[in-house]
């Protein structure tokens, strides 16, 4: 058996590579465990990925408070962290994320170990409150790309140029220019959504929550890959033909097979939340309360949240920059008396639209060396913001059911919320597709565990999320069932002495979706069923 070499690295100096001194910590790793992927079959977005490393800390190099340690000052969270394995001349990245915490154990007579906890990009999205500009007439992949760029720097971007960030802004010196393919691998979405973002409020919605809603509306999937790239799968991808990446026959260490009624749903209801644009130039917000004081030679930003008369938040588009005299007035005194500065050349205003609000910035006098200096403060005594409001209507629902399945297994309802969807035909098609997928019980494998021996180590290292595996097992009678890998959990012990991998699985759709012009997939009603 060819040996496997495992490499564990942390980018301590945060320069985008792992070539620095002490950045290879492999010799200190005693135990490693990590997981990426989806918590349950048919989830629209992956669960936050995690990693735990147990390290030998006998020399206290991983004790952040140890001033004499070689890594003192660099033992900080959010450093890039990477796990790789080399086997038969090929190197595989198994995890790429961020260091979340460093936990050295106390006691000079104890085990003297430290534990590193890491997370992937999904975990970052799950913690970030989203405040995004309105997305209009955009596909799911475009919306998700805007979310990822706005709130999270995927691990795969390490070493690439980022404007204004020391260590990432010296193009050609410390960094190189990265395109979209550096940080993402997206299929093209099949649906164009009229509006997105207008119901995402930062106090209520995380970036991951918004991605989950977007994927639910497309019936797509989202996760981060082993290599740290954001991955979006459109709804057509699972319905297409995919080759089998691995076939296993009685070679698993463990297999969990289950025949149950739990996955059966014979009534499917898809709900969408349509919106419509109101009148252009409507007043979206008006300042209430005391006048806004603008100190001399400074800038002040006001956050305007769009709220209906009955207190409900709403979105808006085509926000208009406040016009002097029409949308705001400015005076020398807070009560509106004194000289009028509304049309003063030293007063500038700009607006940054958000999906359900906007930031209004006033600049009075010379700010950061730009503009004409002024001597004293002024007051904005009236202020409003105009634009095109979005009106929410009552949700629309589309249902599909199967009478025979209901008679056999009782009524079992699946509710699917597609909040961005604005096409009734797609809502109906989604309901019928989900019904066909779930109306009949189908025994299957929920998870399978492999031990890294000569026959299987290649599959453990190579196979990853949404690869198709074919499983056969004599005791259960399983004969050639095809499954997508939807999660992978690894445990490497003794620096690589043993490697155990568990795949969480989801059945490949049991019917072939119709594909135009593809032999074996184009005979609608004979060999295939209508997809969506």
């Amino acid at each position: 058996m060819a040996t496997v070499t495992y490499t564990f690295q942390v980018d301590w100096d945060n320069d985008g590579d792992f070539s620095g001194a002490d950045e290879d910590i492999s010799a200190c790793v005693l135990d490693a465990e990590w997981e990426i992927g989806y918590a349950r079959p048919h989830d629209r977005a992956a669960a936050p990925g995690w990693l735990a490393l147990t390290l030998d800390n006998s020399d206290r190099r991983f004790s952040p408070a140890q001033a004499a340690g070689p890594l003192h000052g660099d033992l900080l969270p959010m450093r890039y962290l990477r796990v790789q394995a080399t086997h038969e001349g090929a190197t595989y990245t198994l995890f790429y994320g961020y260091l979340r915490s460093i936990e050295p154990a106390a006691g000079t007579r104890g085990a003297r170990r430290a534990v590193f906890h890491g997370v992937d990009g999904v975990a970052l999205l799950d913690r970030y409150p989203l405040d995004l500009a309105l997305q209009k007439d955009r596909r799911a992949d475009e919306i998700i790309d805007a979310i990822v760029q706005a709130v999270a720097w995927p691990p795969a971007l390490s070493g690439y140029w980022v404007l204004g960030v020391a260590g990432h802004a010296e193009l050609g010196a410390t960094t190189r220019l990265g395109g979209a393919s550096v940080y993402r691998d997206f299929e093209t979405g099949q649906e164009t959504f009229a509006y997105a973002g207008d119901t995402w409020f930062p106090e209520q919605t995380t970036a991951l929550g918004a991605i989950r809603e977007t994927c639910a509306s497309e019936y797509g999937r989202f996760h981060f890959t082993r290599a740290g790239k954001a991955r979006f799968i459109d709804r057509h991808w699972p319905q297409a033909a995919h080759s089998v990446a691995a076939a296993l026959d009685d070679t698993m260490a463990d297999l969990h097979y289950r025949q149950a009624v739990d996955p059966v749903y014979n009534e499917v209801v898809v709900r969408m939340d349509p919106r419509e644009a109101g009148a252009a130039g409507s007043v979206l917000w008006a300042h209430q309360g005391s006048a806004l004081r603008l100190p001399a030679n400074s800038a002040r930003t006001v956050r305007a949240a769009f709220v209906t008369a009955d207190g409900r938040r709403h979105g808006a588009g085509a926000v208009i920059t406040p016009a002097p005299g029409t949308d705001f007035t400015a005076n020398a005194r807070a009560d509106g008396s004194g000289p009028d500065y509304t049309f003063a050349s030293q007063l500038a205003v700009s607006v940054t639209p958000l999906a359900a609000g906007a930031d209004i910035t006033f600049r009075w006098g010379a700010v950061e060396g730009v503009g004409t200096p002024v001597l004293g403060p002024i007051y904005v005594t009236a202020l409003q913001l105009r634009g095109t409001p979005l009106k929410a209507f009552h949700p629309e629902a589309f249902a599909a059911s199967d009478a025979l399945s209901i008679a056999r297994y009782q009524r079992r309802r699946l509710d699917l919320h597609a909040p961005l969807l604005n096409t009734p035909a797609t809502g109906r098609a989604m309901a019928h597709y989900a019904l066909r997928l779930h109306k009949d019980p189908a025994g299957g494998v929920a998870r399978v565990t492999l031990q890294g021996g000569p026959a299987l180590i290649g599959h453990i290292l190579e196979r990853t999320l949404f690869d198709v595996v074919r499983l056969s097992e004599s005791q259960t009678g399983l004969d050639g069932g095809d499954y997508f890998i939807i999660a992978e959990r690894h445990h490497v012990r003794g620096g690589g002495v043993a490697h155990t991998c568990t795949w969480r699985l989801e059945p490949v759709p049991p019917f072939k979706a119709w594909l135009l012009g593809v032999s074996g997939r184009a005979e609608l009603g004979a060999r295939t069923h209508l997809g969506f």
Side-chain angles (χ1 to χ4, degrees), residues 334-411:
D335 61 4
S337 63
D340 187 339
Y341 288 97
T342 303
F343 294 91
S345 61
Q346 300 97 324
L347 179 61
V349 62
S350 61
V351 63
T352 302
L354 304 170
D359 286 338
I360 308 168
T361 300
F362 286 95
R363 299 166 66 92
W364 171 234
V367 180
E368 297 179 350
V370 178
T372 303
V374 295
L375 297 178
I378 62 171
Y379 296 85
V380 176
T381 52
L383 175 62
Q384 69 177 19
L385 197 61
R386 293 175 294 134
T388 304
L390 295 181
K391 299 178 180 180
F393 293 96
H394 292 295
E396 293 185 33
F398 308 93
S401 62
D402 186 274
L404 182 58
S405 178
I406 292 172
R408 288 175 172 172
Y409 310 111
Q410 296 190 319
R411 188 180 301 275

Side-chain angles (χ1 to χ4, degrees), residues 61-74:
R61 69 173 52 236
F62 302 123
S63 298
Q66 170 60 20
L71 295 171
H72 181 68
D74 290 329

Side-chain angles (χ1 to χ4, degrees), residues 245-459:
L248 306 179
D249 188 348
D250 286 327
T251 54
M252 325 74 171
D254 187 32
L255 179 146
H256 183 247
Y257 181 95
R258 191 166 183 257
Q259 171 77 287
V261 74
D262 299 0
V264 174
Y265 297 101
N266 43 44
E267 182 178 81
V268 179
V269 178
V270 175
R271 180 169 62 89
M272 69 182 200
D273 302 327
R275 275 94 79 203
E276 183 179 78
S282 299
V283 175
L284 303 173
W285 173 85
H287 176 66
Q288 305 292 325
S290 58
L292 301 173
R293 184 177 186 272
L294 305 181
N297 306 308
S298 66
R300 180 172 180 180
T301 298
V302 178
R303 171 65 57 90
F306 304 149
V307 183
T308 61
D310 57 0
R312 291 181 293 108
R313 297 282 298 273
H314 69 89
V319 176
I320 300 168
T321 299
T326 301
D327 297 310
F328 73 90
T329 57
N331 299 84
R333 297 186 178 89
D335 61 4
S337 63
D340 187 339
Y341 288 97
T342 303
F343 294 91
S345 61
Q346 300 97 324
L347 179 61
V349 62
S350 61
V351 63
T352 302
L354 304 170
D359 286 338
I360 308 168
T361 300
F362 286 95
R363 299 166 66 92
W364 171 234
V367 180
E368 297 179 350
V370 178
T372 303
V374 295
L375 297 178
I378 62 171
Y379 296 85
V380 176
T381 52
L383 175 62
Q384 69 177 19
L385 197 61
R386 293 175 294 134
T388 304
L390 295 181
K391 299 178 180 180
F393 293 96
H394 292 295
E396 293 185 33
F398 308 93
S401 62
D402 186 274
L404 182 58
S405 178
I406 292 172
R408 288 175 172 172
Y409 310 111
Q410 296 190 319
R411 188 180 301 275
R412 301 181 61 82
R413 174 167 164 155
L414 174 64
D415 287 284
L416 300 176
H417 186 204
L420 309 186
L421 194 61
N422 51 279
T423 309
T426 303
R428 285 189 287 269
M430 185 184 295
H432 285 282
Y433 178 80
L435 178 68
R436 180 175 291 278
L437 201 60
H438 295 292
K439 67 184 180 66
D440 298 314
V445 181
R447 63 181 181 272
V448 61
T449 299
L450 311 180
Q451 295 286 0
L456 297 179
I457 190 63
H459 290 314

